[in-house]
Amino acid sequence: MNSKTVVMEIEFRFRRVAEALCCNPGALELFVDALPFGAGFLVRLRADRGDTGRLVGKGGATFEALALCAKRVGTRHDTFIKLARVMEPVIGVKDEFVFEPNGGWPDGREEFRAVIGDVCRLLFGGDPVVRLEDFDGEARDESDALRTTAVCQVRLVGRRTGPVDALRLLADAIGRDYGRLVAVAVEQDSPEASQPKSAAGRHSGEVDS
């Protein structure tokens, strides 16, 4: 394990994903603490009061998705990474998120694609490819013009539904911050890697959570 590489990935890539969930990203604080005896790392987040709920999500779903991102980074680097409960905010006032439609993507499209790429790297590793496909059919209502599919080509191994579910949840939450309604389509970047040769291997995949 290269501790410096682990910390850099959390402080850069993980931070950028967390900031994308916030309306006031400049107020986000991220701390990476080494656990005693080389046991791994503890990641702590604190945002202003208006964004704390966005980092937690309904029923804690967004927090769990972020925690899985951190955990998967640790797994790839042969160490343990835990996301601690979001810290109590020290600034700001609680507010409600207001969805602001971004029809036609006049801005933010490439920035959003890059952030989804970061989510994919955290969850799946490798060098994922992300392309955005905007709705181009006959709109049934105003929301159709805001629909985008993020097609993510990633390295899938076994029947791991947890990372895919986390990707979909984070893409939806971040997409709404960009004024878009985002769905996710996942493609395998290396079909051979996902199909073990032996019969035992084909039935040994575990669902990741």
Side-chain angles (χ1 to χ4, degrees), residues 31-181:
F31 308 91
V32 183
D33 302 319
L35 297 173
F37 310 110
F41 299 89
L42 182 69
V43 179
R44 296 177 294 138
L45 292 173
R46 179 163 56 205
D48 74 16
R49 196 169 301 277
D51 287 326
T52 299
R54 299 183 185 100
L55 293 174
V56 175
K58 186 176 180 179
T62 304
F63 173 84
E64 292 298 329
L66 288 171
L68 183 57
C69 287
K71 177 184 176 182
R72 298 278 289 182
V73 171
T75 299
R76 284 196 302 277
H77 292 281
D78 195 27
T79 189
F80 171 77
I81 302 179
K82 178 180 180 180
L83 178 63
R85 180 179 177 180
V86 178
M87 301 167 67
E88 287 296 318
V90 294
I91 60 172
V93 295
K94 187 175 181 179
D95 62 355
E96 290 194 13
F97 173 73
V98 178
F99 180 78
E100 297 181 1
N102 185 8
W105 287 89
D107 52 41
R109 193 174 194 275
E110 284 305 304
E111 182 180 77
F112 172 77
R113 188 179 68 82
V115 172
I116 297 305
D118 283 335
V119 176
C120 290
R121 287 181 178 87
L122 291 169
L123 289 168
F124 303 100
D127 191 17
V129 175
V130 178
R131 68 180 187 273
L132 302 180
E133 298 180 351
D134 297 330
F135 179 84
D136 62 358
E138 184 177 347
R140 295 163 298 179
D141 53 49
E142 292 182 2
S143 68
D144 279 342
L146 303 175
R147 297 189 186 281
T148 292
T149 299
V151 182
C152 303
Q153 194 176 67
V154 298
R155 184 182 303 161
L156 296 171
V157 180
R159 296 178 290 110
R160 301 182 184 275
T161 62
V164 173
D165 290 343
L167 169 60
R168 286 178 172 145
L169 188 148
L170 290 172
D172 174 68
I174 295 170
R176 290 175 185 275
D177 280 352
Y178 280 81
R180 303 294 296 187
L181 303 175

